[in-house]
Coordinates of all heavy atoms in Angstrom, one line a residue:
M1 N -19.9 -64.6 -83.5 CA -20.2 -65.8 -82.9 C -20.9 -66.7 -83.9 O -21.8 -66.3 -84.6 CB -21.0 -65.7 -81.6 CG -21.4 -67.0 -81.0 SD -22.4 -66.8 -79.5 CE -21.2 -66.2 -78.4
A2 N -20.5 -68.0 -84.0 CA -21.2 -68.9 -84.9 C -22.6 -69.1 -84.5 O -23.0 -68.9 -83.4 CB -20.4 -70.3 -84.8
H3 N -23.4 -69.5 -85.5 CA -24.9 -69.6 -85.3 C -25.4 -70.8 -85.9 O -25.1 -71.1 -87.1 CB -25.6 -68.3 -85.9 CG -27.0 -68.2 -85.5 ND1 -27.4 -67.7 -84.3 CD2 -28.1 -68.5 -86.2 CE1 -28.7 -67.7 -84.2 NE2 -29.2 -68.2 -85.4
K4 N -26.1 -71.6 -85.2 CA -26.6 -72.9 -85.7 C -28.1 -72.8 -86.0 O -28.9 -72.4 -85.1 CB -26.4 -74.0 -84.7 CG -26.8 -75.4 -85.2 CD -26.2 -76.6 -84.4 CE -26.8 -76.7 -83.0 NZ -26.4 -78.0 -82.4
Y5 N -28.5 -73.3 -87.2 CA -29.9 -73.4 -87.6 C -30.2 -74.9 -87.7 O -29.5 -75.6 -88.5 CB -30.1 -72.7 -88.9 CG -31.4 -72.8 -89.6 CD1 -32.6 -72.5 -88.9 CD2 -31.5 -73.2 -90.9 CE1 -33.8 -72.5 -89.5 CE2 -32.8 -73.2 -91.5 CZ -33.9 -72.9 -90.8 OH -35.2 -73.0 -91.4
T6 N -31.2 -75.4 -87.0 CA -31.5 -76.8 -87.0 C -33.0 -77.0 -87.3 O -33.8 -76.2 -86.9 CB -31.2 -77.4 -85.6 OG1 -29.9 -77.2 -85.3 CG2 -31.5 -78.9 -85.5
F7 N -33.3 -78.0 -88.1 CA -34.7 -78.3 -88.4 C -34.8 -79.8 -88.8 O -33.8 -80.5 -89.0 CB -35.1 -77.5 -89.6 CG -34.2 -77.5 -90.8 CD1 -34.4 -78.4 -91.8 CD2 -33.1 -76.6 -90.9 CE1 -33.5 -78.4 -92.9 CE2 -32.3 -76.6 -91.9 CZ -32.5 -77.6 -93.0
T8 N -36.0 -80.3 -88.7 CA -36.3 -81.7 -89.1 C -36.8 -81.7 -90.5 O -37.6 -80.9 -90.9 CB -37.4 -82.3 -88.2 OG1 -37.0 -82.2 -86.8 CG2 -37.7 -83.7 -88.5
V9 N -36.2 -82.7 -91.3 CA -36.6 -82.9 -92.7 C -37.4 -84.1 -92.7 O -37.0 -85.2 -92.3 CB -35.4 -83.0 -93.6 CG1 -35.8 -83.2 -95.0 CG2 -34.5 -81.7 -93.5
T10 N -38.6 -84.0 -93.3 CA -39.5 -85.2 -93.5 C -39.8 -85.3 -95.0 O -40.7 -84.6 -95.5 CB -40.8 -85.1 -92.7 OG1 -40.5 -84.8 -91.3 CG2 -41.6 -86.3 -92.8
P11 N -39.0 -86.1 -95.8 CA -39.2 -86.1 -97.2 C -40.5 -86.5 -97.7 O -41.0 -86.0 -98.7 CB -38.1 -87.1 -97.6 CG -37.1 -87.1 -96.6 CD -37.9 -86.8 -95.3
T12 N -41.3 -87.3 -96.9 CA -42.6 -87.7 -97.4 C -43.6 -86.6 -97.4 O -44.6 -86.7 -98.0 CB -43.1 -88.9 -96.5 OG1 -43.1 -88.4 -95.1 CG2 -42.3 -90.1 -96.7
D13 N -43.3 -85.4 -96.7 CA -44.1 -84.3 -96.7 C -43.8 -83.3 -97.8 O -44.4 -82.2 -97.8 CB -44.0 -83.6 -95.3 CG -44.7 -84.4 -94.2 OD1 -45.4 -85.3 -94.5 OD2 -44.4 -84.1 -93.1
L14 N -42.9 -83.6 -98.7 CA -42.4 -82.7 -99.7 C -43.4 -82.6 -100.8 O -43.9 -83.6 -101.4 CB -41.1 -83.3 -100.3 CG -40.5 -82.5 -101.4 CD1 -40.1 -81.1 -100.9 CD2 -39.3 -83.2 -102.0
V15 N -43.8 -81.4 -101.1 CA -44.7 -81.0 -102.2 C -44.1 -79.9 -103.0 O -43.8 -78.8 -102.4 CB -46.1 -80.6 -101.7 CG1 -47.0 -80.2 -102.9 CG2 -46.8 -81.7 -100.9
R16 N -43.7 -80.1 -104.2 CA -43.1 -79.1 -105.0 C -44.1 -78.1 -105.7 O -43.8 -77.0 -105.8 CB -42.3 -79.7 -106.2 CG -41.0 -80.4 -105.6 CD -39.8 -79.6 -106.1 NE -38.6 -80.4 -105.6 CZ -37.9 -80.0 -104.6 NH1 -38.2 -79.0 -103.9 NH2 -36.9 -80.8 -104.3
D17 N -45.2 -78.6 -106.1 CA -46.1 -77.7 -106.8 C -47.5 -78.4 -106.8 O -47.7 -79.4 -106.1 CB -45.7 -77.4 -108.3 CG -45.4 -78.7 -109.1 OD1 -46.1 -79.7 -108.9 OD2 -44.5 -78.7 -109.9
E18 N -48.4 -77.8 -107.6 CA -49.8 -78.3 -107.6 C -50.0 -79.7 -108.1 O -51.0 -80.4 -107.9 CB -50.7 -77.4 -108.5 CG -50.7 -75.9 -108.1 CD -49.5 -75.2 -108.5 OE1 -48.9 -75.5 -109.6 OE2 -49.0 -74.3 -107.8
S19 N -48.9 -80.3 -108.7 CA -49.0 -81.6 -109.3 C -49.0 -82.7 -108.2 O -49.2 -83.8 -108.4 CB -47.9 -81.9 -110.3 OG -46.7 -81.9 -109.7
G20 N -48.6 -82.3 -107.0 CA -48.5 -83.3 -105.9 C -47.1 -83.5 -105.3 O -46.3 -82.7 -105.4
V21 N -47.0 -84.7 -104.8 CA -45.7 -85.0 -104.1 C -44.6 -85.3 -105.1 O -44.8 -86.0 -106.0 CB -45.9 -86.2 -103.2 CG1 -44.6 -86.6 -102.5 CG2 -47.0 -86.0 -102.1
A22 N -43.5 -84.7 -104.9 CA -42.3 -84.9 -105.8 C -41.5 -86.0 -105.2 O -41.8 -86.7 -104.2 CB -41.5 -83.6 -105.8
D23 N -40.3 -86.2 -105.9 CA -39.4 -87.3 -105.4 C -38.9 -87.0 -104.0 O -38.3 -86.0 -103.8 CB -38.2 -87.3 -106.4 CG -37.2 -88.3 -106.1 OD1 -37.3 -89.0 -105.0 OD2 -36.2 -88.4 -106.8
P24 N -39.3 -87.8 -103.0 CA -38.9 -87.5 -101.6 C -37.4 -87.6 -101.4 O -36.9 -87.1 -100.4 CB -39.6 -88.6 -100.8 CG -39.9 -89.7 -101.8 CD -40.1 -89.0 -103.1
M25 N -36.6 -88.1 -102.3 CA -35.2 -88.1 -102.2 C -34.6 -86.7 -102.5 O -33.4 -86.5 -102.1 CB -34.6 -89.2 -103.1 CG -35.0 -90.6 -102.8 SD -34.6 -91.1 -101.1 CE -32.9 -91.1 -101.1
K26 N -35.3 -85.9 -103.1 CA -34.8 -84.5 -103.5 C -35.6 -83.5 -102.6 O -36.6 -83.0 -103.0 CB -35.0 -84.3 -105.0 CG -34.4 -83.0 -105.4 CD -34.4 -82.9 -106.9 CE -33.8 -81.6 -107.3 NZ -33.2 -81.6 -108.6
V27 N -35.0 -83.2 -101.5 CA -35.7 -82.4 -100.5 C -35.3 -80.9 -100.6 O -35.6 -80.1 -99.8 CB -35.5 -82.9 -99.0 CG1 -36.1 -84.2 -98.8 CG2 -34.0 -82.9 -98.7
I28 N -34.6 -80.6 -101.7 CA -34.2 -79.2 -101.9 C -34.1 -79.0 -103.5 O -33.7 -79.9 -104.2 CB -32.9 -78.9 -101.2 CG1 -32.5 -77.4 -101.3 CG2 -31.7 -79.7 -101.7 CD1 -31.4 -77.0 -100.4
T29 N -34.5 -77.9 -104.0 CA -34.4 -77.6 -105.4 C -33.0 -77.4 -105.9 O -32.1 -77.1 -105.1 CB -35.3 -76.4 -105.8 OG1 -34.7 -75.3 -105.2 CG2 -36.7 -76.6 -105.4
D30 N -32.8 -77.5 -107.2 CA -31.5 -77.3 -107.7 C -31.0 -75.9 -107.5 O -29.8 -75.6 -107.2 CB -31.5 -77.5 -109.3 CG -31.7 -79.0 -109.6 OD1 -31.4 -79.9 -108.8 OD2 -32.1 -79.3 -110.7
E31 N -31.9 -74.9 -107.5 CA -31.6 -73.5 -107.3 C -31.2 -73.3 -105.8 O -30.2 -72.6 -105.5 CB -32.8 -72.6 -107.5 CG -33.2 -72.5 -109.0 CD -34.2 -73.7 -109.4 OE1 -34.6 -74.5 -108.5 OE2 -34.5 -73.8 -110.6
A32 N -31.8 -74.0 -104.9 CA -31.5 -73.9 -103.5 C -30.1 -74.6 -103.2 O -29.3 -74.1 -102.4 CB -32.6 -74.5 -102.6
T33 N -29.9 -75.7 -103.9 CA -28.6 -76.4 -103.8 C -27.5 -75.5 -104.2 O -26.4 -75.4 -103.5 CB -28.6 -77.7 -104.6 OG1 -29.6 -78.6 -104.0 CG2 -27.2 -78.4 -104.5
A34 N -27.7 -74.8 -105.3 CA -26.7 -73.8 -105.8 C -26.4 -72.7 -104.8 O -25.3 -72.3 -104.6 CB -27.1 -73.3 -107.2
L35 N -27.5 -72.2 -104.3 CA -27.4 -71.1 -103.3 C -26.6 -71.6 -102.0 O -25.7 -70.9 -101.5 CB -28.8 -70.6 -102.9 CG -28.8 -69.4 -102.0 CD1 -28.2 -68.2 -102.6 CD2 -30.3 -69.1 -101.7
H36 N -27.0 -72.8 -101.6 CA -26.3 -73.4 -100.4 C -24.8 -73.5 -100.7 O -24.0 -73.2 -99.9 CB -27.0 -74.7 -100.0 CG -26.4 -75.4 -98.9 ND1 -26.7 -75.1 -97.6 CD2 -25.3 -76.3 -98.8 CE1 -26.0 -75.8 -96.7 NE2 -25.1 -76.5 -97.5
D37 N -24.5 -74.1 -101.9 CA -23.1 -74.3 -102.2 C -22.4 -73.0 -102.3 O -21.2 -72.9 -102.0 CB -23.0 -75.0 -103.6 CG -23.5 -76.5 -103.5 OD1 -23.7 -77.0 -102.3 OD2 -23.7 -77.1 -104.5
Q38 N -23.0 -71.9 -102.7 CA -22.4 -70.6 -102.8 C -22.0 -70.1 -101.4 O -20.9 -69.6 -101.2 CB -23.4 -69.6 -103.5 CG -22.8 -68.2 -103.5 CD -23.9 -67.2 -104.0 OE1 -24.8 -67.5 -104.7 NE2 -23.6 -65.9 -103.7
F39 N -22.9 -70.3 -100.4 CA -22.7 -69.9 -99.1 C -21.5 -70.7 -98.5 O -20.6 -70.2 -97.8 CB -23.9 -70.1 -98.2 CG -24.8 -68.9 -98.1 CD1 -25.5 -68.5 -99.2 CD2 -24.9 -68.1 -97.0 CE1 -26.4 -67.4 -99.2 CE2 -25.7 -67.0 -96.9 CZ -26.4 -66.6 -98.0
V40 N -21.4 -72.0 -98.9 CA -20.3 -72.8 -98.4 C -19.0 -72.3 -99.1 O -18.0 -72.1 -98.4 CB -20.5 -74.3 -98.8 CG1 -19.3 -75.1 -98.5 CG2 -21.7 -74.9 -98.0
A41 N -19.0 -72.1 -100.4 CA -17.8 -71.6 -101.1 C -17.3 -70.3 -100.5 O -16.1 -70.0 -100.5 CB -18.1 -71.5 -102.6
E42 N -18.2 -69.4 -100.1 CA -17.9 -68.1 -99.6 C -17.4 -68.2 -98.1 O -17.1 -67.2 -97.5 CB -19.0 -67.1 -99.8 CG -19.3 -66.8 -101.2 CD -20.6 -66.0 -101.4 OE1 -21.3 -65.7 -100.4 OE2 -20.8 -65.6 -102.6
G43 N -17.5 -69.4 -97.5 CA -17.1 -69.5 -96.1 C -18.2 -69.1 -95.1 O -17.9 -69.0 -93.9
K44 N -19.4 -68.8 -95.6 CA -20.5 -68.4 -94.7 C -21.1 -69.5 -94.0 O -21.7 -69.3 -92.9 CB -21.5 -67.6 -95.5 CG -21.0 -66.3 -96.1 CD -22.0 -65.7 -97.0 CE -21.5 -64.4 -97.6 NZ -22.6 -63.7 -98.4
I45 N -21.0 -70.7 -94.5 CA -21.5 -72.0 -93.8 C -20.2 -72.7 -93.5 O -19.4 -73.1 -94.4 CB -22.4 -72.8 -94.7 CG1 -23.8 -72.1 -94.9 CG2 -22.7 -74.2 -94.1 CD1 -24.7 -72.8 -95.9
T46 N -20.1 -73.1 -92.2 CA -18.9 -73.8 -91.8 C -19.1 -75.3 -91.6 O -18.2 -76.0 -91.8 CB -18.3 -73.2 -90.5 OG1 -19.3 -73.3 -89.5 CG2 -18.0 -71.7 -90.7
T47 N -20.3 -75.7 -91.3 CA -20.6 -77.1 -91.1 C -22.1 -77.3 -91.5 O -23.0 -76.5 -91.3 CB -20.5 -77.4 -89.6 OG1 -19.2 -77.0 -89.1 CG2 -20.7 -78.9 -89.3
N48 N -22.3 -78.5 -92.1 CA -23.6 -78.9 -92.4 C -23.7 -80.4 -92.1 O -23.0 -81.2 -92.6 CB -23.8 -78.7 -93.9 CG -25.2 -79.0 -94.4 OD1 -26.2 -79.0 -93.7 ND2 -25.4 -79.3 -95.7
T49 N -24.6 -80.8 -91.1 CA -24.7 -82.2 -90.7 C -26.2 -82.6 -90.8 O -27.1 -81.9 -90.7 CB -24.2 -82.3 -89.3 OG1 -25.0 -81.5 -88.4 CG2 -22.8 -81.9 -89.1
S50 N -26.3 -84.0 -91.0 CA -27.6 -84.6 -91.0 C -27.5 -85.8 -90.0 O -26.6 -86.5 -90.0 CB -28.0 -85.1 -92.3 OG -28.1 -84.1 -93.3
G51 N -28.6 -85.9 -89.2 CA -28.7 -87.0 -88.3 C -29.2 -88.3 -89.0 O -29.6 -88.3 -90.1
D52 N -29.3 -89.4 -88.2 CA -29.8 -90.6 -88.7 C -31.3 -90.5 -89.0 O -32.0 -89.8 -88.3 CB -29.6 -91.8 -87.7 CG -28.1 -92.1 -87.5 OD1 -27.3 -91.8 -88.5 OD2 -27.8 -92.5 -86.4
E53 N -31.7 -91.2 -90.1 CA -33.2 -91.2 -90.4 C -33.9 -92.1 -89.4 O -33.4 -93.1 -88.9 CB -33.4 -91.8 -91.8 CG -32.9 -91.0 -92.9 CD -33.2 -91.5 -94.3 OE1 -34.0 -92.5 -94.4 OE2 -32.7 -91.0 -95.3
D54 N -35.2 -91.7 -89.1 CA -36.0 -92.5 -88.3 C -36.8 -93.5 -89.2 O -36.6 -93.6 -90.4 CB -37.0 -91.7 -87.4 CG -38.0 -90.9 -88.2 OD1 -38.2 -91.2 -89.4 OD2 -38.6 -90.0 -87.6
E55 N -37.7 -94.2 -88.7 CA -38.5 -95.3 -89.5 C -39.3 -94.7 -90.6 O -39.7 -95.3 -91.5 CB -39.3 -96.1 -88.5 CG -40.4 -95.4 -87.8 CD -40.0 -94.7 -86.6 OE1 -38.9 -94.8 -86.1 OE2 -40.9 -94.0 -86.0
N56 N -39.6 -93.4 -90.5 CA -40.4 -92.7 -91.6 C -39.5 -91.9 -92.5 O -40.0 -91.2 -93.4 CB -41.4 -91.7 -90.9 CG -42.4 -92.5 -90.1 OD1 -42.9 -93.5 -90.4 ND2 -42.6 -92.0 -88.9
G57 N -38.2 -92.0 -92.4 CA -37.3 -91.3 -93.3 C -37.0 -89.9 -92.9 O -36.2 -89.2 -93.6
A58 N -37.5 -89.4 -91.7 CA -37.2 -88.1 -91.3 C -35.8 -88.0 -90.6 O -35.4 -89.0 -90.0 CB -38.3 -87.6 -90.3
Y59 N -35.2 -86.9 -90.7 CA -33.9 -86.7 -90.0 C -33.7 -85.2 -89.6 O -34.4 -84.4 -90.1 CB -32.7 -87.1 -90.9 CG -32.7 -86.4 -92.3 CD1 -32.0 -85.2 -92.4 CD2 -33.4 -86.9 -93.4 CE1 -31.9 -84.6 -93.7 CE2 -33.4 -86.2 -94.6 CZ -32.7 -85.1 -94.7 OH -32.7 -84.4 -95.9
V60 N -32.8 -85.0 -88.7 CA -32.5 -83.7 -88.2 C -31.3 -83.1 -89.0 O -30.3 -83.8 -89.2 CB -32.2 -83.6 -86.7 CG1 -31.7 -82.3 -86.3 CG2 -33.4 -84.1 -86.0
Q61 N -31.4 -81.9 -89.5 CA -30.4 -81.2 -90.3 C -29.9 -80.0 -89.5 O -30.7 -79.3 -88.9 CB -30.9 -80.8 -91.6 CG -30.0 -80.0 -92.5 CD -29.4 -80.8 -93.6 OE1 -30.1 -81.7 -94.1 NE2 -28.2 -80.5 -94.0
S62 N -28.6 -79.8 -89.4 CA -28.1 -78.6 -88.8 C -27.1 -77.9 -89.7 O -26.3 -78.6 -90.4 CB -27.3 -79.0 -87.5 OG -28.2 -79.4 -86.5
I63 N -27.2 -76.6 -89.8 CA -26.3 -75.8 -90.6 C -25.7 -74.8 -89.7 O -26.4 -74.1 -89.0 CB -27.0 -75.1 -91.7 CG1 -27.8 -76.1 -92.6 CG2 -26.1 -74.2 -92.6 CD1 -28.7 -75.4 -93.7
I64 N -24.4 -74.7 -89.6 CA -23.7 -73.7 -88.8 C -23.1 -72.6 -89.7 O -22.4 -72.9 -90.6 CB -22.6 -74.3 -87.9 CG1 -23.2 -75.4 -87.0 CG2 -21.8 -73.3 -87.1 CD1 -22.3 -76.1 -86.1
F65 N -23.6 -71.4 -89.4 CA -23.1 -70.2 -90.1 C -22.1 -69.5 -89.4 O -21.9 -69.7 -88.1 CB -24.4 -69.3 -90.4 CG -25.4 -69.9 -91.2 CD1 -26.4 -70.6 -90.6 CD2 -25.5 -69.7 -92.6 CE1 -27.5 -71.2 -91.3 CE2 -26.5 -70.3 -93.3 CZ -27.5 -71.0 -92.7
T66 N -21.4 -68.5 -90.0 CA -20.4 -67.7 -89.3 C -21.0 -66.9 -88.2 O -20.4 -66.6 -87.2 CB -19.6 -66.8 -90.3 OG1 -20.6 -66.1 -91.1 CG2 -18.8 -67.7 -91.2
D67 N -22.3 -66.4 -88.4 CA -22.9 -65.6 -87.4 C -24.4 -65.6 -87.7 O -24.9 -66.1 -88.7 CB -22.4 -64.2 -87.3 CG -22.4 -63.5 -88.7 OD1 -23.3 -63.7 -89.5 OD2 -21.5 -62.6 -88.9
S68 N -25.2 -65.0 -86.8 CA -26.6 -64.9 -86.9 C -27.1 -64.1 -88.2 O -28.0 -64.5 -88.8 CB -27.2 -64.3 -85.7 OG -28.6 -64.1 -85.8
A69 N -26.4 -63.0 -88.5 CA -26.7 -62.2 -89.6 C -26.6 -63.0 -90.9 O -27.4 -62.8 -91.9 CB -25.9 -61.0 -89.7
T70 N -25.6 -63.9 -91.0 CA -25.4 -64.7 -92.2 C -26.6 -65.7 -92.3 O -27.0 -66.0 -93.4 CB -24.1 -65.4 -92.1 OG1 -23.1 -64.4 -92.0 CG2 -23.8 -66.2 -93.4
C71 N -27.0 -66.3 -91.2 CA -28.2 -67.1 -91.2 C -29.4 -66.4 -91.7 O -30.2 -66.9 -92.5 CB -28.4 -67.7 -89.8 SG -29.8 -68.9 -89.7
D72 N -29.6 -65.2 -91.2 CA -30.7 -64.3 -91.7 C -30.6 -64.1 -93.3 O -31.6 -64.2 -94.0 CB -30.7 -63.0 -91.1 CG -31.0 -63.0 -89.6 OD1 -31.6 -64.0 -89.1 OD2 -30.7 -62.0 -88.9
E73 N -29.4 -63.8 -93.7 CA -29.1 -63.6 -95.1 C -29.5 -64.9 -95.9 O -30.1 -64.8 -97.0 CB -27.7 -63.3 -95.3 CG -27.3 -63.1 -96.8 CD -25.7 -62.9 -96.9 OE1 -25.0 -62.7 -95.9 OE2 -25.3 -62.9 -98.1
Y74 N -29.1 -66.0 -95.4 CA -29.4 -67.3 -96.1 C -30.9 -67.6 -96.2 O -31.4 -67.9 -97.3 CB -28.7 -68.4 -95.3 CG -28.9 -69.8 -95.8 CD1 -28.1 -70.4 -96.7 CD2 -29.9 -70.7 -95.2 CE1 -28.2 -71.7 -97.2 CE2 -30.0 -72.0 -95.7 CZ -29.2 -72.5 -96.6 OH -29.4 -73.8 -97.0
L75 N -31.6 -67.4 -95.1 CA -33.0 -67.6 -95.1 C -33.7 -66.7 -96.0 O -34.7 -67.0 -96.7 CB -33.6 -67.5 -93.6 CG -33.1 -68.6 -92.7 CD1 -33.6 -68.4 -91.3 CD2 -33.5 -70.0 -93.2
A76 N -33.3 -65.4 -96.1 CA -33.9 -64.4 -97.0 C -33.6 -64.8 -98.4 O -34.5 -64.7 -99.3 CB -33.4 -63.0 -96.7
A77 N -32.4 -65.3 -98.7 CA -32.1 -65.7 -100.1 C -32.9 -66.9 -100.5 O -33.4 -67.0 -101.6 CB -30.6 -66.0 -100.2
M78 N -33.1 -67.9 -99.6 CA -33.9 -69.0 -99.9 C -35.4 -68.6 -100.1 O -36.1 -69.1 -101.0 CB -33.9 -70.0 -98.7 CG -32.6 -70.8 -98.7 SD -32.3 -71.8 -100.1 CE -30.8 -72.7 -99.7
A79 N -35.9 -67.6 -99.3 CA -37.2 -67.1 -99.5 C -37.3 -66.4 -100.9 O -38.3 -66.5 -101.6 CB -37.6 -66.2 -98.4
G80 N -36.2 -65.7 -101.3 CA -36.2 -65.0 -102.5 C -36.3 -65.9 -103.7 O -36.8 -65.4 -104.8
I81 N -35.9 -67.1 -103.7 CA -36.1 -68.1 -104.8 C -37.3 -69.0 -104.6 O -37.5 -69.9 -105.4 CB -34.8 -68.9 -105.0 CG1 -34.5 -69.8 -103.8 CG2 -33.6 -68.0 -105.4 CD1 -33.4 -70.8 -104.1
G82 N -38.1 -68.7 -103.6 CA -39.3 -69.5 -103.4 C -39.1 -70.9 -102.8 O -40.0 -71.7 -102.9
E83 N -38.0 -71.1 -102.2 CA -37.7 -72.5 -101.7 C -38.7 -72.9 -100.6 O -39.1 -74.0 -100.5 CB -36.3 -72.5 -101.1 CG -35.9 -74.0 -100.8 CD -35.9 -74.9 -101.9 OE1 -35.8 -74.5 -103.1 OE2 -35.9 -76.1 -101.7
V84 N -39.2 -71.9 -99.8 CA -40.1 -72.3 -98.7 C -41.4 -72.9 -99.4 O -41.9 -73.9 -98.9 CB -40.5 -71.1 -97.9 CG1 -41.6 -71.4 -96.9 CG2 -39.2 -70.6 -97.1
E85 N -41.8 -72.3 -100.5 CA -43.0 -72.8 -101.1 C -42.8 -74.1 -101.8 O -43.7 -74.9 -101.9 CB -43.5 -71.7 -102.2 CG -44.1 -70.5 -101.6 CD -43.0 -69.5 -101.1 OE1 -41.8 -69.7 -101.4 OE2 -43.4 -68.5 -100.5
K86 N -41.6 -74.3 -102.3 CA -41.3 -75.5 -103.1 C -41.0 -76.7 -102.2 O -41.3 -77.8 -102.6 CB -40.1 -75.2 -104.0 CG -40.5 -74.2 -105.1 CD -39.2 -73.8 -105.8 CE -39.5 -72.7 -106.8 NZ -38.3 -72.1 -107.3
S87 N -40.3 -76.6 -101.1 CA -39.9 -77.7 -100.3 C -40.1 -77.5 -98.8 O -39.8 -78.4 -98.0 CB -38.5 -78.2 -100.6 OG -37.6 -77.2 -100.1
G88 N -40.6 -76.3 -98.4 CA -40.8 -76.0 -97.0 C -41.7 -76.9 -96.2 O -41.5 -77.1 -95.0
N89 N -42.6 -77.5 -96.9 CA -43.5 -78.4 -96.2 C -42.8 -79.6 -95.6 O -43.3 -80.3 -94.7 CB -44.6 -79.0 -97.1 CG -45.6 -77.9 -97.5 OD1 -45.7 -76.8 -96.9 ND2 -46.4 -78.2 -98.5
S90 N -41.6 -79.9 -96.1 CA -40.9 -81.1 -95.6 C -40.0 -80.7 -94.4 O -39.3 -81.5 -93.9 CB -40.0 -81.6 -96.7 OG -38.9 -80.7 -97.0
R91 N -40.0 -79.4 -94.0 CA -39.2 -79.0 -92.9 C -40.1 -78.5 -91.7 O -41.1 -77.8 -91.9 CB -38.3 -77.9 -93.3 CG -37.2 -78.3 -94.3 CD -36.6 -77.2 -95.0 NE -35.5 -77.7 -95.9 CZ -35.7 -78.2 -97.1 NH1 -36.9 -78.5 -97.5 NH2 -34.6 -78.6 -97.8
S92 N -39.7 -78.9 -90.5 CA -40.4 -78.5 -89.3 C -39.4 -78.4 -88.1 O -38.2 -78.7 -88.2 CB -41.5 -79.5 -88.9 OG -40.9 -80.8 -88.7
N93 N -39.9 -78.0 -86.9 CA -39.1 -78.0 -85.7 C -37.9 -77.1 -85.9 O -36.8 -77.4 -85.5 CB -38.7 -79.3 -85.2 CG -39.9 -80.3 -85.0 OD1 -40.9 -79.8 -84.5 ND2 -39.8 -81.5 -85.4
H94 N -38.1 -75.9 -86.5 CA -36.9 -75.0 -86.7 C -36.5 -74.4 -85.4 O -37.3 -74.0 -84.5 CB -37.4 -73.8 -87.6 CG -37.9 -74.3 -89.0 ND1 -37.1 -74.4 -90.1 CD2 -39.1 -74.7 -89.4 CE1 -37.8 -74.8 -91.1 NE2 -39.0 -75.0 -90.7
S95 N -35.1 -74.3 -85.2 CA -34.6 -73.7 -84.1 C -33.3 -73.0 -84.5 O -32.6 -73.4 -85.4 CB -34.4 -74.6 -82.9 OG -33.4 -75.6 -83.2
R96 N -32.9 -72.0 -83.7 CA -31.7 -71.3 -84.0 C -31.0 -71.0 -82.6 O -31.7 -70.7 -81.6 CB -31.9 -69.9 -84.7 CG -32.5 -70.1 -86.1 CD -32.8 -68.8 -86.7 NE -31.7 -67.9 -86.8 CZ -31.7 -66.8 -87.5 NH1 -32.8 -66.4 -88.1 NH2 -30.6 -66.0 -87.5
E97 N -29.7 -71.0 -82.6 CA -28.9 -70.7 -81.4 C -27.5 -70.3 -81.7 O -26.9 -70.8 -82.7 CB -28.9 -71.9 -80.4 CG -28.2 -73.1 -81.0 CD -28.2 -74.3 -80.1 OE1 -28.0 -74.1 -78.9 OE2 -28.5 -75.4 -80.5
D98 N -26.9 -69.4 -80.9 CA -25.5 -69.1 -81.1 C -24.7 -70.2 -80.4 O -25.1 -70.8 -79.4 CB -25.2 -67.8 -80.3 CG -25.7 -66.6 -81.0 OD1 -25.9 -66.6 -82.3 OD2 -26.0 -65.6 -80.4
V99 N -23.6 -70.6 -81.1 CA -22.8 -71.7 -80.6 C -21.3 -71.3 -80.6 O -20.9 -70.4 -81.2 CB -23.0 -73.0 -81.5 CG1 -24.4 -73.6 -81.3 CG2 -22.7 -72.7 -82.9

C-alpha cells in the first residue's frame, strides 16, 4: 500500500551549520537531493508535491512512497547523511499515513 509522508517546510528556520542561517531557497542539501532523486529513479517515490507558500514562505510538502517500509528506508538514509542536522530545523508538523 502506498504511504504518504507530509511535513511543513519553513525556509526561514533553515540552519545548515554553526555559521548561522543558510540560503533559505535551498531547503535541502545537494547530498539529500541526490538521495531523493535516487529514490525517484528507482520508483520508490511515486509523487512529490508542494503546496502554496504562506506569507512567511512556509509550505506543505508531501512525498508518496511505494509503501511504509520504503518511507522508513528513506528517512534512515537521510539521517545517515546528517540531513536532519543540516536542514531539519526547517521542517515541522510531520505526519505519515497509508493512502
Side-chain angles (χ1 to χ4, degrees):
M1 176 180 290
H3 192 77
K4 182 164 72 169
Y5 174 53
T6 302
F7 50 93
T8 301
V9 178
T10 308
T12 55
D13 290 343
L14 179 63
V15 177
R16 288 250 185 257
D17 55 34
E18 301 79 34
S19 67
V21 177
D23 180 357
M25 296 304 293
K26 186 171 180 154
V27 296
I28 188 170
T29 63
D30 291 338
E31 296 84 4
T33 298
L35 185 63
H36 180 88
D37 291 347
Q38 176 186 341
F39 271 71
V40 171
E42 293 173 356
K44 295 177 178 181
I45 291 177
T46 61
T47 308
N48 185 24
T49 61
S50 298
D52 294 333
E53 291 185 13
D54 67 15
E55 64 277 356
N56 298 316
Y59 58 92
V60 174
Q61 176 104 29
S62 292
I63 304 172
I64 299 181
F65 297 89
T66 53
D67 55 31
S68 178
T70 303
C71 182
D72 292 341
E73 177 186 352
Y74 178 86
L75 294 175
M78 287 295 184
I81 62 170
E83 188 62 21
V84 174
E85 291 81 8
K86 295 172 186 167
S87 67
N89 290 346
S90 69
R91 291 165 175 78
S92 62
N93 303 318
H94 302 266
S95 66
R96 294 175 59 170
E97 63 181 317
D98 288 331
V99 292

